[in-house]
Amino acid sequence: MAAVRKTRISDLTMRVHPIPPGMRVADVADLFLADACRDLLCLPVVQDGQPLGVISRYAIMRIFLRQYGREIFGQRPIERFMNTAPLMVDIDADVEAASAWVRQHMVLPVTEDFIIVEQGHYRGMGMVTSLLELMEHHVALRGRALARANASLKASQAHLVQSEKMASLGQMVAGVAHEINTPLGYVRSNVELARDFVSQTSSALVASRNLIHCLLDERASDEEISGHLMTAAEETEAVSQSGILEEVSPLFDDTLHGLEQISELVVNLRNFSRLDRARVDHVNLNESLDSALTIGRNLIKHKAEVICDYGDLPSVECAASQINQVFLNILTNAAQAIADYGRITVRTRTLADTDQVEVRIRDNGCGMPEEVRARIFDPFFTTKPVGQGTGLGLSISYQIIEQHRGSIDVVSTPGEGTEFVLCLPCRQTASAAQNPVLAEAAGSEA
Amino acid sequence: MNAKPTLLFVDDEERILRTLVLAFRVRYRVLSATSGEEAIALLREHPVDVVISDQRMPQMTGVEVLRAAREIAPHAMRILLTGYAELASIVGSINEGEIFRYVQKPWRLEELRDTIAEAVDIVHAARDAQTTPVVANQARAAGIMVLDRTPALFDLIRQAHPEHHVDTADTLDEALERMARHPPAVLVTDLQLPEGDISDALRLLKAQQPELVVVVVTAFRDTGHLIRLINQAQVYRVLPRPVSQNMLLRSLESALKHHDLLRERPALLRRHSVEAVPEAPQHSDIQQRVRGYLDRLRGRTSPA
Ligand SMILES: Nc1ncnc2c1ncn2[C@@H]1O[C@H](COP(=O)(O)OP(=O)(O)O)[C@@H](O)[C@H]1O
Ligand SMILES: [Mg+2]
């Protein structure tokens, strides 16, 4: 326990430097990434000592997740987006009354802290969690209600992570839908054309049959025969004029090719999400890489030749769909880093003696300077234009690898390229069950 | 005119081009390109009546190709044929591509044939009309109707266009009432009004009054909705809320010009004809209101 027990609201006051209402959204977003603001859910907006509102990290994230969000709203003053009715607590308020009031008025999921004021003037920020903790000291009896509030705080954090997942899922769905609808487009069109062709050729066939019958019929007159001959000649000529006979075979080749493509995608999609398998799995990472390459093909194929140099790998114990997600993120970044057409090299091997597997993904794209490299794992850090970058890919990847007790490293030279080096242990230790991802997976399996 | 009309298909998948060429070569002269650059080169060399482009291509997107086509071959009709409806491509196709139709893959051959035939008809009608003299532009300040609950939008527009009659209304009924008295050139409207979503009303209005230029201001909604606004209401611009002043004023400027153009050359109106909409019975109440308005308008113009 802390040596000095906190007992009053003033003990909770954090001296957060307030921001002016005219500050631009993009600058506020940068502030949130700064170390000093790491633990803050929101920033106070203050003018002449008067609190005007708060802007939460969550609100900024929602703005930037929208299409064109950064472009349209980035330069706007923050006052247009802030919550103008924030929670406010007087510095001299009674702790119990204040926390009851905060509990009553806080919006779930909790995305904002409260403002501490003294006679209407801004004094600092207080965290809802600290207030609730403080309350816990004060009134042990209310323990149950507090536990509930705490649980909802945890839920709100899970909510944030979920929206990040949705953002990258959305991008993937766009790619896959396009990849499937393109072959579906020509397959459907070809089948419709083939149907038209069949009806044209069949009328020529009928005319020819009539002619043959007529020729074999002893009673047929010359006029009858020449009539049928005319029709049959016209109909068959029309068919050969149309070019159908030459076209029909490549048409079917294309159709079969399209169906091949679609089924390959579907198989890989299933491997990719591993919905039909337990979440924690023994996986050959070479196969995972192949799945990720197929899923990302739409993006990669125009940008790079992919060279795979796979070693013989033992199976790795991991949450397969998450590891696939990591590979896809890194491969997508590699393709996006290449301006015209380049090369992506994927290498795997077993590290001797350590019982670890190593995956190296290298591109010869633009590379990055040290300032960029230092920030790539920060959430929302992106150098890409709107629509291409969310800045979430690598921060999520980092989390996933860390939860698997692996490591992720980057070597990059501007103008030459970038290499990501991933290491994963083949076995998860017993204590890994405590890590949220694997534990959750194990739980849902039971 | 005995030459076949010319179509230009643009898609990075050659199999798509092969099937489209096969499907259309009997009736049309068909050009095809596997990239935006190639398409632009063809547009510069050949007269083209309809450009049909895929959206997602490596170097140049479909919206970029169609925007270029608007400049190189302004008379050609533009159609986007796309595998996945992304918000960005839909909004781009409206605001930058000014497209005629947004068609999704996989398409139905019958429907695509109809859409293309209609586009070709329109180009030819407009071309014939060009040889006839232009209707003298009657001097008349074209009005702007702002159908929106935030007064800021109205104030902004009124200040920017003192020379135009700028009117405002809170509800669809009120707007229809005023529009019957002063038929506007441009309607600036939200989709969400107190009485609900007015997309259906817009479609009906546009079907009956093609010279009305519609600028929609909206908090974005689902993509299917926006596609219907292109195909069935031919909205001229879609602006996301909160609205950027510059974007709004620029859009309004070109909407007014566009209206003048439509009035000078009535044959161009067909370029903005809308898809027939199956009547939706659940909205019959909105339909009635719009019909009432149209009747009043007719009563006003042709005393019968
Ligand atoms: N292979 C790479 N080459 C160059 N820069 C990269 C590479 N991978 C990542 N980056 C940099 O890291 C940033 C963050 O990547 P990420 O978290 O995946 O977000 P996003 O791709 O959405 O921008 C990118 O915007 C880019 O600047
Ligand atoms: Mg990325």
Side-chain angles (χ1 to χ4, degrees), chain A residues 404-424:
Chain A
H404 282 84
R405 310 183 155 259
S407 65
I408 174 167
D409 290 301
V410 194
V411 185
S412 185
T413 315
E416 283 181 21
T418 304
E419 184 168 45
F420 279 81
V421 183
L422 301 171
C423 285
L424 281 172

mmCIF file of all heavy atoms in Angstrom, chain A residues 404-424:
data_model
loop_
_atom_site.group_PDB
_atom_site.id
_atom_site.type_symbol
_atom_site.label_atom_id
_atom_site.label_comp_id
_atom_site.label_asym_id
_atom_site.label_seq_id
_atom_site.Cartn_x
_atom_site.Cartn_y
_atom_site.Cartn_z
ATOM 1 N N HIS A 404 2.425 -13.975 -27.360
ATOM 2 C CA HIS A 404 2.928 -15.317 -27.643
ATOM 3 C C HIS A 404 4.348 -15.502 -27.141
ATOM 4 O O HIS A 404 4.996 -16.487 -27.459
ATOM 5 C CB HIS A 404 2.888 -15.592 -29.151
ATOM 6 C CG HIS A 404 1.520 -15.919 -29.659
ATOM 7 N ND1 HIS A 404 0.597 -14.963 -29.991
ATOM 8 C CD2 HIS A 404 0.901 -17.110 -29.875
ATOM 9 C CE1 HIS A 404 -0.510 -15.540 -30.409
ATOM 10 N NE2 HIS A 404 -0.354 -16.843 -30.334
ATOM 11 N N ARG A 405 4.845 -14.510 -26.411
ATOM 12 C CA ARG A 405 6.194 -14.551 -25.871
ATOM 13 C C ARG A 405 7.247 -14.619 -26.959
ATOM 14 O O ARG A 405 8.304 -15.208 -26.793
ATOM 15 C CB ARG A 405 6.369 -15.747 -24.926
ATOM 16 C CG ARG A 405 5.250 -15.778 -23.930
ATOM 17 C CD ARG A 405 5.371 -16.850 -22.920
ATOM 18 N NE ARG A 405 4.614 -16.394 -21.763
ATOM 19 C CZ ARG A 405 5.154 -15.876 -20.686
ATOM 20 N NH1 ARG A 405 6.451 -15.784 -20.574
ATOM 21 N NH2 ARG A 405 4.401 -15.446 -19.696
ATOM 22 N N GLY A 406 6.940 -14.015 -28.067
ATOM 23 C CA GLY A 406 7.903 -13.954 -29.167
ATOM 24 C C GLY A 406 8.515 -12.578 -29.243
ATOM 25 O O GLY A 406 8.336 -11.759 -28.339
ATOM 26 N N SER A 407 9.224 -12.321 -30.323
ATOM 27 C CA SER A 407 9.809 -10.987 -30.488
ATOM 28 C C SER A 407 9.630 -10.521 -31.923
ATOM 29 O O SER A 407 9.455 -11.326 -32.839
ATOM 30 C CB SER A 407 11.293 -11.019 -30.151
ATOM 31 O OG SER A 407 11.961 -11.827 -31.096
ATOM 32 N N ILE A 408 9.617 -9.211 -32.079
ATOM 33 C CA ILE A 408 9.480 -8.645 -33.415
ATOM 34 C C ILE A 408 10.479 -7.501 -33.541
ATOM 35 O O ILE A 408 10.522 -6.609 -32.697
ATOM 36 C CB ILE A 408 8.024 -8.202 -33.669
ATOM 37 C CG1 ILE A 408 7.856 -7.477 -34.997
ATOM 38 C CG2 ILE A 408 7.489 -7.309 -32.552
ATOM 39 C CD1 ILE A 408 6.380 -7.314 -35.392
ATOM 40 N N ASP A 409 11.355 -7.571 -34.544
ATOM 41 C CA ASP A 409 12.396 -6.555 -34.727
ATOM 42 C C ASP A 409 12.378 -6.025 -36.147
ATOM 43 O O ASP A 409 11.921 -6.703 -37.056
ATOM 44 C CB ASP A 409 13.781 -7.158 -34.452
ATOM 45 C CG ASP A 409 13.953 -7.466 -32.983
ATOM 46 O OD1 ASP A 409 13.849 -6.532 -32.177
ATOM 47 O OD2 ASP A 409 14.156 -8.658 -32.664
ATOM 48 N N VAL A 410 12.899 -4.827 -36.295
ATOM 49 C CA VAL A 410 12.899 -4.186 -37.607
ATOM 50 C C VAL A 410 14.281 -3.656 -37.935
ATOM 51 O O VAL A 410 14.918 -3.041 -37.092
ATOM 52 C CB VAL A 410 11.971 -2.960 -37.615
ATOM 53 C CG1 VAL A 410 11.706 -2.528 -39.038
ATOM 54 C CG2 VAL A 410 10.705 -3.239 -36.875
ATOM 55 N N VAL A 411 14.710 -3.908 -39.157
ATOM 56 C CA VAL A 411 15.920 -3.275 -39.656
ATOM 57 C C VAL A 411 15.514 -2.543 -40.923
ATOM 58 O O VAL A 411 14.886 -3.124 -41.803
ATOM 59 C CB VAL A 411 16.988 -4.316 -40.021
ATOM 60 C CG1 VAL A 411 18.275 -3.614 -40.418
ATOM 61 C CG2 VAL A 411 17.197 -5.270 -38.863
ATOM 62 N N SER A 412 15.842 -1.256 -41.013
ATOM 63 C CA SER A 412 15.390 -0.515 -42.179
ATOM 64 C C SER A 412 16.413 0.525 -42.600
ATOM 65 O O SER A 412 17.042 1.153 -41.765
ATOM 66 C CB SER A 412 14.060 0.175 -41.870
ATOM 67 O OG SER A 412 13.562 0.791 -43.026
ATOM 68 N N THR A 413 16.579 0.664 -43.909
ATOM 69 C CA THR A 413 17.464 1.702 -44.445
ATOM 70 C C THR A 413 16.659 2.497 -45.456
ATOM 71 O O THR A 413 16.126 1.923 -46.402
ATOM 72 C CB THR A 413 18.669 1.072 -45.170
ATOM 73 O OG1 THR A 413 19.164 0.019 -44.358
ATOM 74 C CG2 THR A 413 19.740 2.098 -45.428
ATOM 75 N N PRO A 414 16.581 3.803 -45.239
ATOM 76 C CA PRO A 414 15.811 4.614 -46.187
ATOM 77 C C PRO A 414 16.349 4.438 -47.597
ATOM 78 O O PRO A 414 17.559 4.445 -47.811
ATOM 79 C CB PRO A 414 16.027 6.051 -45.695
ATOM 80 C CG PRO A 414 16.397 5.913 -44.262
ATOM 81 C CD PRO A 414 17.116 4.613 -44.132
ATOM 82 N N GLY A 415 15.454 4.237 -48.546
ATOM 83 C CA GLY A 415 15.848 4.085 -49.937
ATOM 84 C C GLY A 415 16.242 2.666 -50.309
ATOM 85 O O GLY A 415 16.349 2.346 -51.480
ATOM 86 N N GLU A 416 16.472 1.820 -49.317
ATOM 87 C CA GLU A 416 16.896 0.453 -49.644
ATOM 88 C C GLU A 416 15.867 -0.601 -49.304
ATOM 89 O O GLU A 416 15.645 -1.538 -50.060
ATOM 90 C CB GLU A 416 18.211 0.127 -48.948
ATOM 91 C CG GLU A 416 19.383 0.772 -49.651
ATOM 92 C CD GLU A 416 20.690 0.438 -48.990
ATOM 93 O OE1 GLU A 416 20.758 -0.577 -48.264
ATOM 94 O OE2 GLU A 416 21.652 1.203 -49.183
ATOM 95 N N GLY A 417 15.246 -0.436 -48.159
ATOM 96 C CA GLY A 417 14.234 -1.422 -47.820
ATOM 97 C C GLY A 417 14.158 -1.695 -46.336
ATOM 98 O O GLY A 417 14.841 -1.050 -45.528
ATOM 99 N N THR A 418 13.309 -2.663 -46.007
ATOM 100 C CA THR A 418 13.007 -2.937 -44.608
ATOM 101 C C THR A 418 12.937 -4.434 -44.411
ATOM 102 O O THR A 418 12.484 -5.161 -45.292
ATOM 103 C CB THR A 418 11.633 -2.321 -44.248
ATOM 104 O OG1 THR A 418 11.667 -0.933 -44.546
ATOM 105 C CG2 THR A 418 11.308 -2.530 -42.780
ATOM 106 N N GLU A 419 13.405 -4.876 -43.237
ATOM 107 C CA GLU A 419 13.229 -6.288 -42.915
ATOM 108 C C GLU A 419 12.620 -6.424 -41.530
ATOM 109 O O GLU A 419 13.106 -5.822 -40.567
ATOM 110 C CB GLU A 419 14.558 -7.035 -42.971
ATOM 111 C CG GLU A 419 14.372 -8.532 -42.733
ATOM 112 C CD GLU A 419 15.615 -9.340 -43.059
ATOM 113 O OE1 GLU A 419 16.725 -8.930 -42.653
ATOM 114 O OE2 GLU A 419 15.476 -10.391 -43.710
ATOM 115 N N PHE A 420 11.545 -7.182 -41.443
ATOM 116 C CA PHE A 420 10.943 -7.520 -40.156
ATOM 117 C C PHE A 420 11.398 -8.924 -39.773
ATOM 118 O O PHE A 420 11.339 -9.836 -40.603
ATOM 119 C CB PHE A 420 9.422 -7.481 -40.240
ATOM 120 C CG PHE A 420 8.863 -6.088 -40.125
ATOM 121 C CD1 PHE A 420 8.838 -5.243 -41.224
ATOM 122 C CD2 PHE A 420 8.381 -5.620 -38.908
ATOM 123 C CE1 PHE A 420 8.340 -3.956 -41.115
ATOM 124 C CE2 PHE A 420 7.884 -4.336 -38.787
ATOM 125 C CZ PHE A 420 7.863 -3.499 -39.884
ATOM 126 N N VAL A 421 11.860 -9.065 -38.540
ATOM 127 C CA VAL A 421 12.315 -10.374 -38.071
ATOM 128 C C VAL A 421 11.443 -10.787 -36.898
ATOM 129 O O VAL A 421 11.403 -10.107 -35.866
ATOM 130 C CB VAL A 421 13.786 -10.318 -37.625
ATOM 131 C CG1 VAL A 421 14.254 -11.713 -37.225
ATOM 132 C CG2 VAL A 421 14.657 -9.747 -38.734
ATOM 133 N N LEU A 422 10.725 -11.909 -37.083
ATOM 134 C CA LEU A 422 9.843 -12.401 -36.021
ATOM 135 C C LEU A 422 10.408 -13.695 -35.461
ATOM 136 O O LEU A 422 10.855 -14.552 -36.218
ATOM 137 C CB LEU A 422 8.462 -12.717 -36.590
ATOM 138 C CG LEU A 422 7.715 -11.577 -37.267
ATOM 139 C CD1 LEU A 422 6.480 -12.110 -37.963
ATOM 140 C CD2 LEU A 422 7.326 -10.563 -36.224
ATOM 141 N N CYS A 423 10.375 -13.827 -34.121
ATOM 142 C CA CYS A 423 10.728 -15.105 -33.511
ATOM 143 C C CYS A 423 9.569 -15.568 -32.662
ATOM 144 O O CYS A 423 8.989 -14.776 -31.917
ATOM 145 C CB CYS A 423 11.951 -14.954 -32.611
ATOM 146 S SG CYS A 423 13.459 -14.809 -33.546
ATOM 147 N N LEU A 424 9.243 -16.854 -32.805
ATOM 148 C CA LEU A 424 8.179 -17.402 -31.961
ATOM 149 C C LEU A 424 8.673 -18.687 -31.323
ATOM 150 O O LEU A 424 9.293 -19.519 -32.002
ATOM 151 C CB LEU A 424 6.943 -17.705 -32.800
ATOM 152 C CG LEU A 424 6.056 -16.524 -33.173
ATOM 153 C CD1 LEU A 424 4.994 -16.976 -34.153
ATOM 154 C CD2 LEU A 424 5.413 -15.921 -31.927
#
